[in-house]
Amino acid sequence: MIGINAAIFTQTGTSAGVGFAIPSSTVLKIAPQLIQFGKVRRAGLNVDFAPDPIAYQLNVRNGALILKVPGGSAAAKAGLAPTSRGFAGNIVLGDIVVAVDGKPVKGKSDLLRVLDDYGVGDQVSLTIRRGSETLEATLPLEEADM
C-alpha cells in the first residue's frame, strides 16, 4: 500500500515505531476538494440513521434504518419516512435503505462507505423497504453534516 504518513506511534520519540498513513486513493479524492473548498465535502442523504447495533436490536438485519428526516431536505421531498412512536408508544420503524443504485447496503456503516463514491449533487436511486413493501426513490445527494 502506498500512502501519506500521518502519524507515528513511538515509545522512544524517534521516527521508529508503528506508522499510520492515509491511503493514496483517499488523498486523490480529498486533495482537490481541500484546494477548491478548504474542506472535504462529503455527499450524503442528510438523514439520521440508527447505529448498526441499535438497528439490529430493532430486528433490522439488512439495510440502514432511518431515524430522522429533516424537513425541507431532499430526503423529505422524496418522501423518506423516519422512525416514530405509535399511539401506544410502540416504535414504528422508518424506511430502511437496502440499496443505492443497485449496490446492496447491509447497515449504516455500509451505506456511508457506498456514498463515499458519490459527489454532492449526484442523483442516486435508493431501494427502500417500508414495512412489507419495496419502494424506489431518486434524489440528489446533499453535503453531509460532519
Side-chain angles (χ1 to χ4, degrees), residues 103-123:
K103 298 172 197 147
V105 170
K106 294 179 182 170
K108 176 184 177 179
S109 55
D110 204 28
L111 173 66
L112 298 177
R113 226 179 346 270
V114 168
L115 292 179
D116 267 348
D117 293 336
Y118 294 89
V120 174
D122 289 351
Q123 290 274 9

Side-chain angles (χ1 to χ4, degrees), residues 45-48 68-80 82 142 145:
L45 298 170
N46 275 345
V47 299
D48 289 340
K68 287 192 247 177
V69 179
S73 67
K77 291 174 187 166
L80 298 185
E142 301 174 317
D145 296 328

Side-chain angles (χ1 to χ4, degrees), residues 23 37 59 75 101 121 124 142 146:
F37 306 113
N59 210 26
D101 286 338
V124 294
E142 301 174 317
M146 298 311 271

Side-chain angles (χ1 to χ4, degrees), residues 48 65-69 79-85 92-95:
D48 289 340
L65 173 63
I66 296 176
L67 292 180
K68 287 192 247 177
V69 179
L80 298 185
T83 297
S84 60
R85 290 262 180 199
V92 178
L93 296 181
D95 289 340

Side-chain angles (χ1 to χ4, degrees), residues 7 11-12 22 40 42 51 77 97 104 110-111 130 139-140:
Q11 294 181 343
T12 63
I22 300 168
V40 177
R42 296 201 186 272
K77 291 174 187 166
V97 178
D110 204 28
L111 173 66
R130 181 180 293 166
L139 65 151

